[in-house]
Amino acid sequence: MKDNLSHPDEFDIRLDIDGADTIITVKPEETSDGARYFVCYIGPDRITQLREEMDGKWEQIWGILDHWRIDSIGKEINLRQKS
Protein backbone atom coordinates (compact mmCIF):
# COMPACT_ATOMS: atom_id res chain seq x y z
CA MET A 1 0.00 0.00 0.00
CA LYS A 2 1.29 3.47 -0.89
CA ASP A 3 2.16 5.90 1.86
CA ASN A 4 -0.04 8.90 1.08
CA LEU A 5 2.11 11.25 3.17
CA SER A 6 5.21 10.90 1.02
CA HIS A 7 5.27 10.99 -2.76
CA PRO A 8 8.58 9.48 -3.90
CA ASP A 9 7.36 9.21 -7.50
CA GLU A 10 6.35 12.89 -7.63
CA PHE A 11 8.60 15.09 -9.77
CA ASP A 12 8.80 18.56 -11.28
CA ILE A 13 9.14 19.50 -14.93
CA ARG A 14 9.76 22.92 -16.47
CA LEU A 15 7.72 24.19 -19.37
CA ASP A 16 7.48 27.55 -21.12
CA ILE A 17 3.86 28.63 -20.76
CA ASP A 18 2.96 31.95 -22.35
CA GLY A 19 6.59 33.05 -22.22
CA ALA A 20 7.11 32.17 -18.57
CA ASP A 21 9.32 29.36 -17.27
CA THR A 22 6.74 27.37 -15.30
CA ILE A 23 7.32 24.52 -12.85
CA ILE A 24 4.71 21.77 -13.14
CA THR A 25 4.54 19.16 -10.40
CA VAL A 26 3.64 15.72 -11.76
CA LYS A 27 2.15 13.05 -9.50
CA PRO A 28 1.89 9.59 -11.04
CA GLU A 29 -1.25 7.70 -10.00
CA GLU A 30 -2.93 4.43 -10.95
CA THR A 31 -6.53 3.51 -11.56
CA SER A 32 -8.01 0.58 -9.66
CA ASP A 33 -7.15 -1.67 -12.62
CA GLY A 34 -3.51 -0.53 -12.66
CA ALA A 35 -3.60 1.93 -15.59
CA ARG A 36 -1.11 4.75 -15.00
CA TYR A 37 -2.02 8.41 -15.34
CA PHE A 38 -0.42 11.68 -14.27
CA VAL A 39 -1.94 14.50 -12.24
CA CYS A 40 -0.28 17.86 -12.96
CA TYR A 41 -0.18 20.93 -10.72
CA ILE A 42 1.07 24.48 -10.95
CA GLY A 43 1.55 25.39 -7.31
CA PRO A 44 -1.49 24.12 -5.41
CA ASP A 45 -3.73 24.21 -8.50
CA ARG A 46 -4.45 21.00 -10.41
CA ILE A 47 -4.28 21.86 -14.11
CA THR A 48 -4.79 18.50 -15.81
CA GLN A 49 -4.72 14.71 -15.67
CA LEU A 50 -3.01 12.93 -18.56
CA ARG A 51 -2.39 9.41 -19.74
CA GLU A 52 -0.33 7.97 -22.54
CA GLU A 53 -2.27 5.83 -24.99
CA MET A 54 -0.95 2.59 -26.45
CA ASP A 55 -0.04 4.42 -29.68
CA GLY A 56 2.16 6.86 -27.73
CA LYS A 57 -0.21 9.81 -27.97
CA TRP A 58 -1.09 11.74 -24.81
CA GLU A 59 -4.73 12.17 -23.85
CA GLN A 60 -6.20 14.60 -21.36
CA ILE A 61 -8.53 12.89 -18.89
CA TRP A 62 -9.37 16.06 -17.03
CA GLY A 63 -8.63 19.72 -17.73
CA ILE A 64 -8.82 22.24 -20.55
CA LEU A 65 -5.29 22.39 -21.96
CA ASP A 66 -4.69 22.64 -25.69
CA HIS A 67 -3.05 19.80 -27.65
CA TRP A 68 0.32 21.57 -27.79
CA ARG A 69 0.52 21.81 -23.98
CA ILE A 70 -0.70 18.23 -23.53
CA ASP A 71 1.99 16.96 -25.92
CA SER A 72 4.66 19.17 -24.32
CA ILE A 73 3.88 17.93 -20.82
CA GLY A 74 3.73 14.32 -22.07
CA LYS A 75 7.12 14.67 -23.77
CA GLU A 76 8.66 15.97 -20.53
CA ILE A 77 7.05 13.15 -18.53
CA ASN A 78 8.52 10.59 -20.94
CA LEU A 79 11.98 12.16 -20.69
CA ARG A 80 11.78 12.10 -16.90
CA GLN A 81 10.55 8.50 -16.78
CA LYS A 82 13.51 7.36 -18.91
CA SER A 83 16.14 9.04 -16.73
Side-chain angles (χ1 to χ4, degrees), residues 18-79:
D18 299 328
D21 185 33
T22 305
I23 296 174
I24 299 172
T25 301
V26 180
K27 297 181 181 180
E29 299 287 345
E30 287 185 3
T31 62
S32 59
D33 63 353
R36 195 160 196 191
Y37 67 99
F38 300 88
V39 184
C40 302
Y41 296 84
I42 295 178
D45 299 322
R46 181 176 60 165
I47 60 166
T48 192
Q49 292 180 3
L50 305 175
R51 70 173 172 222
E52 188 175 18
E53 297 296 324
M54 296 295 288
D55 62 3
K57 293 182 183 177
W58 285 87
E59 179 178 317
Q60 184 168 227
I61 303 168
W62 179 92
I64 56 170
L65 299 182
D66 60 40
H67 290 292
W68 180 86
R69 285 191 176 98
I70 294 166
D71 291 342
S72 296
I73 293 170
K75 178 181 175 185
E76 291 298 318
I77 291 171
N78 280 340
L79 288 173

